[in-house]
Amino acid sequence: CLARPNFYYSSISLFEDKDTKSFAAAKFYVPKKSLVYITGYQRSSRKYESSYQNSYFNLLVARIINLEEDQLEFIDSIYTQSDIKNLELNLSTGEYIILADVDWVSPNLKYLTLGFYSEHKIELEKFDVEESRHLDYTKATLKQGFRSGKIGKDKDYADKYNNVFKQTQVAFGMGMIYYKNNSENGTLHAEFNAMGLQNLQICKPHTSNNHFKVHVKPKSEELVLYRVRTQSNDRMTYMMQFKIMKAMEYEYSDEDLKRLVSDKNPEKIHLDVNGTKYDIFKYFIKLDDGYLWFYENLTNNVRLREKLTFHDLKNLQIVRPSAEGKEISITVDPHQSKSILTQRIEPFQSISVTYCQTNSIETIS
């Protein structure tokens, strides 16, 4: 290296003219902390006819934690059409992977070489990988980048109450939509409709560029990935904009329902039967995904029997207690609490309920 004559140099060819793939990978091991320059080389466009153009390529660098379990640490990434492009990195001891993705402009002239300058001798090794695993590694690396704050630093709440976050980033020749669900019991459903897309194509498992759904279970994460893929000459300009509908679906324990009553502080209905009030209280709560009737019996010797008859359940199902028809009967003994719960069936459709209720009390010895 002319700029640093004491540095070691190595290189590896990732693609040749006969390759049909648009992806490749290489691995290397850093024996001790080192300043490293990773360079992507294409054939110089000046050596070819005027119709020739260099291709657009992305290099994604990650530190390998456990490749079999897709545990990778995001280091850096570039996206360019230049003949030569450098990444300057300070790398600690460990094994690394470079994930290359190319949007070929001239299909008959496929060429991309990695050059490697480093303080210590480091050998590059081409790493054969199937397309599905290449995508897995890419997504795992980008997810870690979001988690660490290296990518997508602006966080939006997808659902503030349950600490569900959404982050987006358009960079590195990619469009990324990342969800992190920290909820204990809520699954996020989100439906995307494109308002504007330029020069981007969605990656598997999604197949529709303009409309797709995301389901993020409790304590999990999800990444929707777009890559630049287009016939346009202006591939450095890419963008995405969506209209998003979202809904939460919950699995409630008894303690969750008690917490909801405490947190939401709904109107407290004091049971009055024939002019006599009992220390039995009812709460009615409209939830994000349904309706809750909660009963609390604070008496020492009075039993409550309550029956709800549902006349209309629009986009709702009775989940607690289990029921075959549209009538629910419960018994609430002294110092007990009970609940009746309905939940949304289709995530993005409206809900409503009409019902009538009857009750009776019984004094027990």
Side-chain angles (χ1 to χ4, degrees):
C1 178
L2 295 178
R4 295 179 181 268
N6 296 326
F7 272 41
Y8 293 89
Y9 175 75
S10 61
S11 66
I12 188 171
S13 177
L14 291 180
F15 297 95
E16 298 293 349
D17 289 344
K18 294 182 180 180
D19 278 336
T20 59
K21 298 186 297 184
S22 62
F23 62 93
K27 291 197 296 184
F28 61 94
Y29 181 79
V30 177
K32 60 175 68 176
K33 187 174 181 180
S34 182
L35 176 62
V36 172
Y37 294 90
I38 299 174
T39 306
Y41 294 97
Q42 298 194 76
R43 290 188 172 114
S44 175
S45 56
R46 291 174 296 179
K47 296 182 179 180
Y48 293 91
E49 64 275 10
S50 59
S51 61
Y52 170 79
Q53 284 185 311
N54 282 334
S55 295
Y56 293 79
F57 68 91
N58 164 262
L59 297 179
L60 178 61
V61 183
R63 185 172 183 269
I64 297 172
I65 309 301
N66 187 322
L67 204 57
E68 291 184 359
E69 297 183 6
D70 297 349
Q71 295 180 11
L72 296 142
E73 177 189 354
F74 174 86
I75 302 299
D76 207 344
S77 183
I78 56 170
Y79 175 70
T80 186
Q81 193 192 16
S82 301
D83 293 348
I84 301 173
K85 185 68 175 180
N86 292 314
L87 265 174
E88 181 180 337
L89 303 171
N90 285 293
L91 300 180
S92 58
T93 302
E95 189 177 18
Y96 293 82
I97 188 170
I98 302 173
L99 299 164
D101 181 85
V102 185
D103 187 16
W104 298 114
V105 175
S106 301
N108 297 321
L109 291 170
K110 297 181 178 179
Y111 180 87
L112 181 63
T113 294
L114 284 181
F116 208 90
Y117 296 95
S118 57
E119 290 181 277
H120 307 286
K121 190 173 182 179
I122 298 172
E123 295 295 336
L124 280 168
E125 173 191 356
K126 190 169 181 179
F127 179 52
D128 291 328
V129 60
E130 297 293 328
E131 183 176 12
S132 61
R133 293 301 289 147
H134 189 280
L135 183 59
D136 290 341
Y137 297 151
T138 300
K139 286 188 173 183
T141 301
L142 296 173
K143 285 179 182 179
Q144 195 281 327
F146 278 106
R147 286 196 303 271
S148 65
K150 294 178 182 177
I151 308 175
K153 294 182 179 179
D154 295 329
K155 287 186 179 180
D156 296 322
Y157 279 108
D159 185 272
K160 188 170 184 178
Y161 182 78
N162 290 283
N163 214 18
V164 182
F165 294 100
K166 169 181 168 286
Q167 295 172 265
T168 58
Q169 180 75 56
V170 179
F172 318 132
M174 295 179 281
M176 296 160 275
I177 306 165
Y178 173 76
Y179 279 100
K180 176 66 175 174
N181 186 352
N182 293 324
S183 172
E184 296 287 345
N185 63 341
T187 296
L188 173 72
H189 302 283
E191 183 172 347
F192 287 75
N193 288 284
M195 304 291 288
L197 278 175
Q198 184 175 352
N199 293 346
L200 288 170
Q201 180 179 329
I202 202 165
C203 296
K204 294 179 180 180
H206 305 287
T207 56
S208 170
N209 251 25
N210 297 311
H211 178 265
F212 57 90
K213 296 179 181 180
V214 173
H215 309 283
V216 194
K217 294 182 179 181
K219 297 297 182 183
S220 68
E221 59 185 351
E222 187 67 36
L223 177 73
V224 179
L225 180 63
Y226 280 83
R227 286 193 183 277
V228 172
R229 290 289 188 271
T230 175
Q231 299 302 312
S232 167
N233 289 329
D234 183 18
R235 303 183 195 202
M236 290 301 289
T237 303
Y238 50 98
M239 57 84 69
M240 61 184 187
Q241 184 179 4
F242 297 95
K243 179 182 179 181
I244 307 171
M245 294 189 296
K246 53 185 180 294
M248 295 292 293
E249 177 187 353
Y250 301 93
E251 296 180 8
Y252 297 106
S253 66
D254 290 337
E255 291 303 314
D256 290 330
L257 295 175
K258 290 179 182 178
R259 178 180 60 84
L260 279 172
V261 172
S262 174
D263 290 350
K264 292 184 176 292
N265 193 27
E267 180 185 358
K268 194 174 188 178
I269 303 171
H270 203 158
L271 183 65
D272 187 330
V273 179
N274 298 324
T276 302
K277 288 189 175 182
Y278 299 88
D279 284 338
I280 301 175
F281 302 94
K282 297 193 293 185
Y283 308 84
F284 174 69
I285 306 174
K286 186 180 185 303
L287 305 172
D288 292 339
D289 64 337
Y291 298 92
L292 170 66
W293 294 259
F294 190 83
Y295 301 83
E296 189 177 31
N297 188 343
L298 303 181
T299 69
N300 293 318
N301 62 345
V302 175
R303 173 181 292 144
L304 169 69
R305 299 185 189 276
E306 177 101 339
K307 181 170 75 172
L308 266 60
T309 302
F310 294 99
H311 302 299
D312 179 48
L313 287 169
K314 181 183 177 183
N315 193 33
L316 289 166
Q317 58 185 341
I318 302 167
V319 296
R320 182 177 298 199
S322 58
E324 296 276 334
K326 291 188 176 182
E327 280 192 359
I328 295 289
S329 295
I330 62 168
T331 300
V332 190
D333 287 334
H335 302 290
Q336 267 193 342
S337 60
K338 289 283 183 72
S339 59
I340 296 173
L341 179 65
T342 63
Q343 286 187 287
R344 190 189 307 264
I345 299 172
E346 293 295 331
F348 307 110
Q349 296 182 14
S350 61
I351 59 174
S352 63
V353 62
T354 57
Y355 65 97
C356 63
Q357 59 190 27
T358 58
N359 55 49
S360 63
I361 60 166
E362 173 188 349
T363 302
I364 58 178
S365 55

